[in-house]
Amino acid sequence: MRYQLGRGAVLAVYAVLIIVPVTVVIFGSFKTTPELFDSPFGLPSSISFENYDVVLNQQNLRQAFLNSVLVTGASVLLTLLIGSLAAYAVARIPGWKGWLIFGFLVLGMSVPPQANMIPQYVLFDQLGLLDSRLGLVLINIVVGLPVAVFILAGFMRTLPRETYEASSVDGAGPVRTYWSIVMPMSTPSIAATAIFLFVIQWNDLLYPLLFISSPGKKTIPLALLDFQGQFLTDYPLLFTGVVIASLPVVIGYVLLQRHFVAGITAGAVKG
Amino acid sequence: MSTPASATTATGAGTGGRPERPRRRRRGPSSRVHPLLYAFTLPALIIYVIFFVIPTLQAVQYSATDWDGFSADYENVGIGNFDRLLTGDTLFLNALTNNLKFMVVVVVFQTILALILAIFLVRNTRGSTLLRGLFFFPTILSSVSVAYIFKFIYDPNFGLGNRVLEAVGLDALTSSYLGNDEAAIYWVAITQVWFHAGQMMVIFIAGLQAVPRELYEAAEIDGAGRWKQFTAITWPMLAPATAIVVAYTTIQSFKAFDLILGLGGNPPKTSLDILSTRIYSTFANSEFGYAATQSIIFMLFIAAIVVVQRRMLKLTQKEA
C-alpha cells in the first residue's frame, strides 16, 4: 500500500514536470509578453496568431523550415539507401570479411563529432561544399551511416538464410534480392532507422553552425539559436519559434509513438 | 551454423542439396559470394573513408601544428600544443572541471531517475503506456527548444522557477539560477536530465522485461521483500542495461554542446563552458591546430571514462 502511494506520487510529480513547461510554451506562443509574465499558467486571453505572423514573416524562419525539410529529407533517404545496401552486403558476406567491413563502418559511432570536425571543415572548404545545403546532406550521411548500418545489419542478420537462398535458386541476383525481398522484409528496422535519423538530423545544430554562413541557407535549429540575440527576453516569440521548430517531429511522434521509441532507442544500444 | 548436427537435421527435413553448401563454402571461401555484394558496400565505404576516417587521422596530424586554418603554411610544433594544454591552459582546465561536474550529476541522477520510472512503469497497463509516452516525449525536441523552455524557467525575474517557489511560500529558495556562477552548470545538468531521462527509462524497461518472472515468484515464496528483491534480482539482472545507460549518458553529457549554447550563449560564459564548447571556441578563434589537440584529448578522455565505468559497474554487479 505504501509502495503504491509512493509510486503514484513520483509518477504524478514527474508527469507535472513534463506537462507544465510544455503547456506554458504552447499557451505562451499565443500571448503577449505582459500577459505571459502576469499569468504564465493561464489560458491565453484570445487566440491571436500575431506571434506566428511575426516569426514566420520577419525572421527567415519560413526559409529555414524549407531548408530543414529539404536537407533532412534528402539526408534520411540517402543514408537509408547507402546504409541499407552496405548492411545487406555485410549481412550476407560470410565469415570474417563481412564482419570486418561491418566493424570498420560501425566504429564511427564511438567518435564524437568534435574530434574530427576541424579536418572535415577544411575538406568541405576545399571541395566548395561549405555554406551549401548539399554539404549538410553529405555530412549528415557521414554521421548517420554507422548507426544505420549497425541497426539494419543487425536486423538483416536475423532474416532466415532460406530467404536469400530461395531467391538465388529462383535466379534473382543481389540487386533483385535486395530490392524485392530484403527491403520489404526489413520494413520494421528501416522505419526505426528512418525515425532515428529524422530526429537527429532535424535537430542537429553543430554542423549547420559550423558549415552555414548565409542566412538563407540556415536550418531550423540554427535559425532558432539566432533568436536568442534578436528577441532577448521576448519569450512569446521564442516560444513561437520552439512550437514551429518542433511541429514536424511532434506530429510524427503523436502518430507513430511506438515506432519513435523503438527508433531512437535502437541508436542508443551502442553509444 | 554448419555443425554436423544441423546438417543432419537439414537432410532429415528433406532438402537434398542443402547440407553440402556450408561445407563447400568452408573449403573454397568467397567462391559463393556474388561480387556485386562487395560493390554494394562501396558507396558507404567511399563516403566513410573520405569524409570520416581520413579527417579523423588528419586531426592527429593537425594537433602537432600551429595552423590557423587559413594560411598556406604552418609550423610543426610537435608536442608543443599538448604541453600548452597540460601546463597552463586555465580555460581548458575550467571546461574540463565543468564537464566533469556536469557528467557526474547527469549520470547519477538521470540513471537513478530512469531506473525508478522504469520499475514503476514496466507493467503494461493503459496508464503506464501513456506515461511512458509522456516521459519519453522531451527526447524528440531539439536542444535549442529545450534550452529556451528552461531559459524561461530559470529567468530570475519572470521565470517559472521562482514564481512557483514564491507561490508556495518558499521565497527563501528563489535563486538567480544561471546567473550564479557556482550553480549554473548544475542547472544545465537538471535540464539535461529532463531532456533525456525518458530515453534511458525505455532502455531500462527493455532490460526489466527480459528478467524472468519466476525469479520474483520464487523470491516471494522465500519471503523476500521489495528491497531484497531489487538488490538480489533486479539490479544484477539489469547489468547490461545499466552499462548501456551509463555509457550512453556519459557520451551524451559530452555532447551537451547545443544545450550549453542555447542556455549560455555563443560563446558560453565561463561558468558554463564545457569541453565541446571550448573546442568550438578555439576553432572559431582560428586556432585550428590547437583545437585539434584539444579534440584528441577530448576523445581519449571519453574513451577512458567509458572503460573505467564499465569496470566499476562489473565490480558492483559482482558484489550484489
Side-chain angles (χ1 to χ4, degrees):
Chain A
M1 202 59 224
R2 238 177 54 207
Y3 173 81
Q4 285 305 335
L5 270 178
R7 173 180 183 266
V10 169
L11 293 178
V13 168
Y14 201 61
V16 167
L17 288 177
I18 307 274
I19 293 172
V20 168
V22 173
T23 332
V24 167
V25 167
I26 297 172
F27 288 171
S29 72
F30 294 102
K31 291 177 181 171
T32 60
T33 308
E35 200 188 344
L36 177 69
F37 290 160
D38 283 345
S39 70
F41 301 107
L43 282 165
S45 59
S46 66
I47 298 288
S48 141
F49 283 93
E50 207 181 313
N51 295 327
Y52 286 84
D53 236 30
V54 174
V55 169
L56 286 169
N57 283 323
Q58 291 186 349
Q59 304 308 323
N60 268 333
L61 204 84
R62 261 196 316 219
Q63 181 64 45
F65 197 89
L66 186 67
N67 291 338
S68 270
V69 170
L70 289 175
V71 169
T72 311
S75 306
V76 171
L77 286 178
L78 288 169
T79 316
L80 279 180
L81 180 70
I82 297 169
S84 65
L85 270 175
Y88 162 63
V90 297
R92 280 207 62 191
I93 296 174
W96 61 272
K97 283 180 189 157
W99 282 101
L100 183 72
I101 303 174
F102 173 78
F104 179 63
L105 283 173
V106 163
L107 207 62
M109 284 198 295
S110 51
V111 179
Q114 279 83 8
N116 48 24
M117 66 182 193
I118 295 154
Q120 279 170 340
Y121 176 89
V122 175
L123 179 64
F124 275 70
D125 188 21
Q126 286 163 348
L127 295 173
L129 286 167
L130 282 190
D131 201 23
S132 81
R133 278 157 288 204
L134 183 65
L136 282 185
V137 172
L138 190 57
I139 196 75
N140 278 338
I141 297 175
V142 174
V143 174
L145 205 52
V147 195
V149 171
F150 178 77
I151 304 174
L152 293 174
F155 184 85
M156 288 173 183
R157 283 203 185 95
T158 66
L159 291 181
R161 186 152 286 279
E162 288 74 19
T163 323
Y164 301 123
E165 282 166 3
S167 72
S168 73
V169 169
D170 290 348
V175 179
R176 184 75 195 276
T177 311
Y178 162 77
W179 191 251
S180 318
I181 296 171
V182 176
M183 288 301 271
M185 287 184 78
S186 307
T187 319
S189 69
I190 300 265
T193 315
I195 287 168
F196 177 82
L197 294 170
F198 170 57
V199 175
I200 300 296
Q201 297 178 346
W202 180 269
N203 290 334
D204 181 43
L205 176 70
L206 178 68
Y207 288 105
L209 192 67
L210 212 57
F211 285 7
I212 300 296
S213 44
S214 320
K217 289 173 185 162
K218 290 185 173 178
T219 56
I220 281 272
L222 191 50
L224 198 58
L225 188 67
D226 286 349
F227 272 34
Q228 207 177 31
Q230 288 163 353
F231 314 113
L232 202 55
T233 48
D234 195 332
Y235 287 108
L237 286 182
L238 290 181
F239 290 172
T240 309
V242 167
V243 171
I244 295 172
S246 315
L247 221 47
V249 202
V250 173
I251 292 174
Y253 183 65
V254 172
L255 293 178
L256 305 164
Q257 207 206 85
R258 252 176 353 144
H259 303 279
F260 254 85
V261 174
I264 302 191
T265 322
V269 171
K270 269 273 168 76
Chain B
M1 280 310 278
S2 57
T3 57
S6 74
T8 332
T9 353
T11 324
T15 41
R18 284 196 64 236
E20 281 167 34
R21 267 203 175 168
R23 214 175 297 155
R24 203 189 306 160
R25 189 179 292 141
R26 214 192 289 161
R27 239 179 267 152
S30 83
S31 62
R32 308 274 318 166
V33 183
H34 202 294
L36 256 184
L37 278 180
Y38 286 104
F40 279 6
T41 65
L42 283 182
L45 284 174
I46 291 170
I47 290 179
Y48 184 68
V49 169
I50 296 179
F51 294 100
F52 182 85
V53 178
I54 296 179
T56 309
L57 298 175
Q58 275 178 322
V60 181
Q61 186 199 337
Y62 287 164
S63 71
T65 69
D66 65 354
W67 194 33
D68 61 7
F70 306 102
S71 329
D73 51 16
Y74 48 84
E75 298 259 313
N76 218 314
V77 295
I79 58 157
N81 283 335
F82 287 92
D83 198 43
R84 171 178 165 194
L85 193 142
L86 297 172
T87 50
D89 191 339
T90 49
L91 282 175
F92 190 82
L93 195 68
N94 164 65
L96 178 68
T97 319
N98 285 340
N99 214 148
L100 283 175
K101 289 179 188 166
F102 182 80
M103 185 198 82
V104 170
V105 170
V106 173
V107 168
V108 170
F109 285 90
Q110 182 162 286
T111 308
I112 293 174
L113 177 64
L115 181 60
I116 292 174
L117 295 177
I119 289 173
F120 285 166
L121 293 178
V122 64
R123 296 249 173 95
N124 283 313
T125 65
R126 206 198 287 164
S128 67
T129 314
L130 197 72
L131 285 177
R132 275 185 225 164
L134 178 70
F135 294 167
F136 185 80
F137 173 77
T139 301
I140 67 163
L141 298 174
S142 77
S143 358
V144 185
S145 297
V146 173
Y148 286 169
I149 296 175
F150 278 80
K151 200 164 124 77
F152 183 61
I153 293 176
Y154 293 154
D155 190 303
N157 303 315
F158 320 105
L160 286 189
N162 285 347
R163 296 282 285 271
V164 171
L165 288 173
E166 280 160 14
V168 296
L170 293 169
D171 299 57
L173 293 179
T174 56
S175 155
S176 59
Y177 302 97
L178 302 174
N180 177 343
D181 285 348
E182 294 280 295
I185 193 74
Y186 299 114
W187 293 114
V188 184
I190 290 175
T191 311
Q192 173 83 355
V193 173
W194 186 88
F195 195 5
H196 288 299
Q199 193 184 358
M200 302 308 144
M201 169 196 77
V202 170
I203 300 174
F204 274 131
I205 288 178
L208 285 171
Q209 282 171 341
V211 180
R213 270 281 159 79
E214 296 80 46
L215 289 179
Y216 293 106
E217 282 161 14
E220 233 149 79
I221 293 169
D222 292 347
R226 277 183 196 280
W227 179 249
K228 183 74 194 160
Q229 289 181 24
F230 174 80
T231 53
I233 304 171
T234 312
W235 179 243
M237 291 293 281
L238 271 184
T242 314
I244 291 170
V245 166
V246 169
Y248 198 64
T249 305
T250 305
I251 292 171
Q252 255 182 359
S253 66
F254 286 96
K255 285 185 181 166
F257 182 80
D258 308 20
L259 214 51
I260 300 278
L261 287 197
L263 278 168
N266 179 18
K269 41 192 218 156
T270 323
S271 61
L272 287 179
D273 209 11
I274 61 170
L275 291 177
S276 57
T277 51
R278 182 95 298 272
I279 295 170
Y280 182 76
S281 301
T282 311
F283 164 83
N285 198 27
S286 295
E287 294 187 85
F288 280 37
Y290 191 44
T293 312
Q294 295 181 337
S295 64
I296 303 273
I297 298 285
F298 174 68
M299 202 161 54
L300 294 175
F301 198 70
I302 296 182
I305 289 183
V306 171
V307 169
V308 169
Q309 278 181 346
R310 295 226 157 181
R311 282 272 161 81
M312 278 168 48
L313 208 64
K314 256 185 208 151
L315 287 180
T316 51
Q317 301 287 359
K318 258 183 210 146
E319 272 168 36

